[in-house]
Amino acid sequence: ASASMVFIAGITSAATAFAIAETPLDWSGPAFLKFFAVAGLIATALAMLWRRALRENGMRPSPAGLTALEVAYLVNGAARALDTATADLLRQEAVRFDSTQRRFVVGPEPDSGSGPIAALRRLMRNDGRADQVLRLGVSLFGEVRQKLQRLGLLLDDAQARRAALIPACIPAAVLLLGLAKLWVGILRDRPIGFLVVLCVVMVIITMVFALRVATRSLAGDQAVADLKRQHARAARAPRDVELPLAVALLGTVAMSGTAWADYHALRAPPSSSSGDSGGSSDSSSGDGSGGGCGGCGGGGD
């Protein structure tokens, strides 16, 4: 609500200024450049405030009671949930990862139970090739995502689109004004080099807001912060039973130095950047991308 009031006040002030002065398209080049730069900064700040307001759902759910899979999906999307489920299966010795053949080996015990972890084990039995498991496994966590949305920790698709596209309209409006001035400059044979640069900057800002999809609500961001604080010791030095939770919070880097380090090497090979394949980074900030693909194309924030 506060962001909306600020935006309305800004638009009203601008309209009043235009009503009592000549149109900015008739201003001299230096005067317009100063105006355009300031307008771009204000538009960016307003877009950030509006984006934050659209991620506010008024809910303050407690993260207590979330399973390791739910924590993983909340932190970094389906790929992190897949890594967490795999860590749980490896820890229980329900499956084994053969790093030489890059495949999962499932023991002779019959498959039982329901839920994503049981479904993942059946997938590994049907085709244990690591690339197939990682490609198909991210589709097994739809129910986890839906539960987090019901709890108000994740935005649904419509909310995520609104939080991306509506704020992007503010810098886009400033960009349109700059493009109009560019056209005027071309018609009047005036230098436009600096304005072109500023317009390119506004294009980038607009695209960042439009394409950087938020996946978490503000409540989800707070829940992640609370979980990382509450389980700092488990994430830093997990006991055997705490391995899935550690992977949920940190990624497969929690498996380095353990008996399952080969899986971490698969997901975050040394030649890749730290943000690849479920490694140590948390790429699904609530204001970011997404359900976080973590290297599998699965967010995000």
Side-chain angles (χ1 to χ4, degrees):
S2 60
S4 301
M5 293 300 294
V6 171
F7 176 68
I8 292 171
I11 293 297
T12 302
S13 300
T16 302
F18 294 162
I20 63 177
E22 61 183 349
T23 170
L25 298 181
D26 292 324
W27 293 354
S28 66
F32 183 85
L33 287 175
K34 292 177 184 177
F35 165 77
F36 188 73
V38 172
L41 291 174
I42 294 174
T44 302
L46 289 174
M48 294 173 65
L49 288 172
W50 201 308
R51 182 181 177 93
R52 180 178 178 84
L54 289 171
R55 293 174 56 229
E56 172 61 71
N57 56 16
M59 301 181 69
R60 292 293 181 271
S62 169
L66 294 180
T67 66
L69 279 186
E70 291 161 356
V71 171
Y73 203 110
L74 180 62
V75 170
N76 208 17
R80 183 66 61 83
L82 172 62
D83 289 335
T84 299
T86 302
D88 202 11
L89 289 171
L90 292 170
R91 178 189 65 84
Q92 297 180 57
E93 299 183 350
V95 301
R96 178 175 59 84
F97 179 60
D98 186 333
S99 60
T100 302
Q101 299 188 23
R102 294 172 63 88
R103 64 182 299 113
F104 295 93
V105 180
V106 182
E109 301 82 3
D111 297 320
S112 61
S114 59
I117 295 180
L120 179 60
R121 186 171 187 265
R122 289 192 290 270
L123 174 63
M124 291 173 173
R125 185 186 295 279
N126 293 335
D127 188 343
R129 289 176 298 167
D131 57 345
Q132 284 291 94
V133 171
L134 298 179
R135 183 173 65 85
L136 300 176
V138 291
S139 65
L140 302 176
F141 303 95
E143 292 183 2
V144 175
R145 178 172 181 260
Q146 291 169 8
K147 178 181 177 180
L148 293 171
Q149 288 174 343
R150 289 195 300 270
L151 290 174
L153 299 173
L154 288 184
L155 303 177
D156 61 34
D157 291 341
Q159 291 170 330
R161 283 195 299 270
R162 285 197 296 271
L165 296 179
I166 293 178
C169 293
I170 305 175
V174 176
L175 172 62
L176 289 176
L177 179 62
L179 294 176
K181 181 63 172 176
L182 271 179
W183 181 245
V184 170
I186 292 172
L187 293 177
R188 297 177 181 176
D189 197 23
R190 301 290 175 80
I192 58 173
F194 288 118
L195 184 55
V196 168
V197 172
L198 290 179
C199 284
V200 169
V201 171
M202 290 309 300
V203 168
I204 294 172
I205 292 173
T206 300
M207 296 301 291
V208 166
F209 278 105
L211 300 179
R212 191 180 178 206
V213 179
T215 56
R216 287 196 298 258
S217 65
L218 294 185
D221 282 353
Q222 185 60 53
V224 169
D226 291 344
L227 286 162
K228 289 184 175 181
R229 183 176 61 254
Q230 293 168 10
H231 301 289
R233 198 275 313 153
R236 184 175 61 253
R239 303 185 183 97
D240 183 71
V241 71
E242 295 170 332
L243 180 66
L245 180 60
V247 172
L249 292 171
L250 294 182
T252 58
V253 69
M255 304 172 77
S256 59
T258 71
W260 308 286
D262 286 343
Y263 181 72
H264 170 57
L266 170 74
R267 296 295 272 146
S271 61
S272 72
S273 64
S274 61
D276 288 344
S277 302
S280 61
S281 72
D282 175 5
S283 64
S284 180
S285 68
D287 210 24
S289 62
C293 75
C296 312
D301 181 121

